[in-house]
Amino acid sequence: MPLNTLPATQGLHLVGAFDTMPGEVAAHEPAVGAVAVVGLGYVGLPTALGLLAAGTEVIGLDVSADRLADIRSGEVDLLPSDLERLERFNGDPRFTLTDDPAALAGARTVLVCVPTPVDRHLAPDLRALTAAAATVVEHAVPGQLLMLTSTTYVGTTRDLLTEPLTERGFTVGEDIFVAFSPERIDPGNAKHTQDTTPRVVGGAGAETMDRAVAVLSRTASSVYALPSPEAAEMTKLWENTFRAVNIALANEFADNCRVLGLDPIPVIEAAATKPFGFMPFYPGPGVGGHCIPCDPHYLLWQLRAERVTSPLVEAAMNGIAGRPHHVVRRVREALGERGRPLTGARILIVGMAYKPGVEDLRESPALEIFEELVHEGAQVRFTDSMVRAARVAGGIQESLIAPQDHEWDLVLVHTVHPNADLAWLSDRDDVLDATYRLDGVEGKETL
């Protein structure tokens, strides 16, 4: 049966691109040629470095001259292994860094890796993706494979690539090829690298899939093929919505445990001993980054246009959106127990990044928590071993180097980086642990 007529429930599990290891090319694989990576952020740059390590020529395109300068100087937030790769490939003639979209014509494959956030109304912000796709279409040449990797709504590949290419006179699937393969990068997590993570790809036609698998297998442990870009787009939405729903549930159960006088962490770890039917998720101060707080809203936005609701997903996302406010409420309660009002209280936030091990502040709950505390009249500062400064409360505030030298009415622990020295908290009794995982602080409270 042709690949593009496979039932939606059926896919092809192509291990290491027909049983080859990442970086190896089977004799019957299509030639990969140069790969252009559009957008060199948290997804695009590691993707480019992985391709380079596999022996692929890479054209890195980014509209930001500052980002290109940071890459050339090595001043970027990457895993240590990727920083080593960047040092090795900076200046390599196989690695072209440019802001000129005309360079795309020299690539056999173009990967679009730009951010897809939501706006303040939780509606998809597609400006970066729309602009990048338009640029790719404008500079497309016959024989290229164009592949989106940015998480988005079902039908984006068709709307932003297939139809505009057809309007330009191309015949998709014959003289140009289009696919969707959602990124699966976990910033700051060395346990899940590209080389050990399977990829999913959807495209129509055997030649499209042969080309896509040949490229993706360069940096993935295996490739799972789907018969359409739409199926691959929905796969990514399902993955991240699954996480969102379970994180919201973990937060809710943690609140229930507090009411009942229980520590939720031992309960979760006990439940996780069941070898089937349970996957541990842990509570915290909220959800940040470029995926969980944003991606499910692409699905909800699209469903609203069809006059359809998804009550469970909506409830989960409402819970996630309200989590920072819950943290502020607990700060107020903790201060009240010590006879202090929130107005005028000196509060330190430990860790502003959205997760341990990264400098990334995108959608970090700490930003919203900081703003709300200031709005309530508190005097707020932060310390973060990986974040030098943050734009908060209408200005730029720098991270405190020696927070233990200041007087605080309450210390809110939001993010604990692997390299953070928090021993000075051990003898304090005014610590509110929003991570639920802080060890060695006897007098702490949790959310």
Side-chain angles (χ1 to χ4, degrees), residues 1-2 10 25 29 80 144 177 204 245 254 286 293 365 382 403 442 444 447:
M1 182 181 294
Q10 185 178 356
V25 182
E29 272 189 339
Q144 281 184 324
F177 306 91
V245 169
F382 81 89
E442 295 297 327
K444 70 176 183 179
L447 296 183

Side-chain angles (χ1 to χ4, degrees), residues 80-121:
S81 58
D82 278 333
L83 283 172
E84 291 175 4
R85 285 176 170 177
L86 180 59
E87 183 177 359
R88 183 176 7 139
F89 293 116
N90 248 334
D92 191 304
R94 292 180 300 126
F95 187 24
T96 302
L97 290 171
T98 182
D99 60 0
D100 183 3
L104 295 178
R108 183 174 173 83
T109 301
V110 179
L111 304 180
V112 179
C113 308
V114 298
T116 48
V118 294
D119 63 21
R120 66 187 187 92
H121 301 293

Side-chain angles (χ1 to χ4, degrees), residues 181-244:
S181 180
E183 56 87 5
R184 281 177 167 170
I185 292 206
D186 191 2
N189 190 342
K191 294 180 180 179
H192 300 295
T193 63
Q194 289 191 84
D195 295 348
T196 61
T197 304
R199 288 292 292 264
V200 167
V201 62
E207 186 169 358
T208 298
M209 298 308 294
D210 285 347
R211 288 167 174 254
V213 169
V215 173
L216 296 172
S217 63
R218 291 294 182 103
T219 61
S221 61
S222 63
V223 178
Y224 191 92
L226 288 164
S228 70
E230 289 81 3
E233 290 161 348
M234 188 59 163
T235 297
K236 180 62 172 182
L237 293 175
W238 200 315
E239 290 175 10
N240 284 350
T241 302
F242 172 85
R243 292 174 60 196

Side-chain angles (χ1 to χ4, degrees), residues 349-363:
I349 298 178
V350 175
M352 289 291 285
Y354 85 88
K355 65 181 288 189
V358 301
E359 303 171 10
D360 199 349
L361 290 173
R362 286 180 299 172
E363 310 297 332

Side-chain angles (χ1 to χ4, degrees), residues 33-85:
V35 176
V37 179
V38 179
L40 297 174
Y42 283 89
V43 172
L45 182 55
T47 299
L49 294 172
L51 288 166
L52 285 162
T56 308
E57 180 184 347
V58 174
I59 301 167
L61 175 68
D62 201 287
V63 297
S64 171
D66 290 340
R67 179 63 176 176
L68 294 174
D70 288 343
I71 293 171
R72 291 187 178 103
S73 66
E75 298 295 321
V76 286
D77 185 13
L78 291 170
L79 288 170
S81 58
D82 278 333
L83 283 172
E84 291 175 4
R85 285 176 170 177

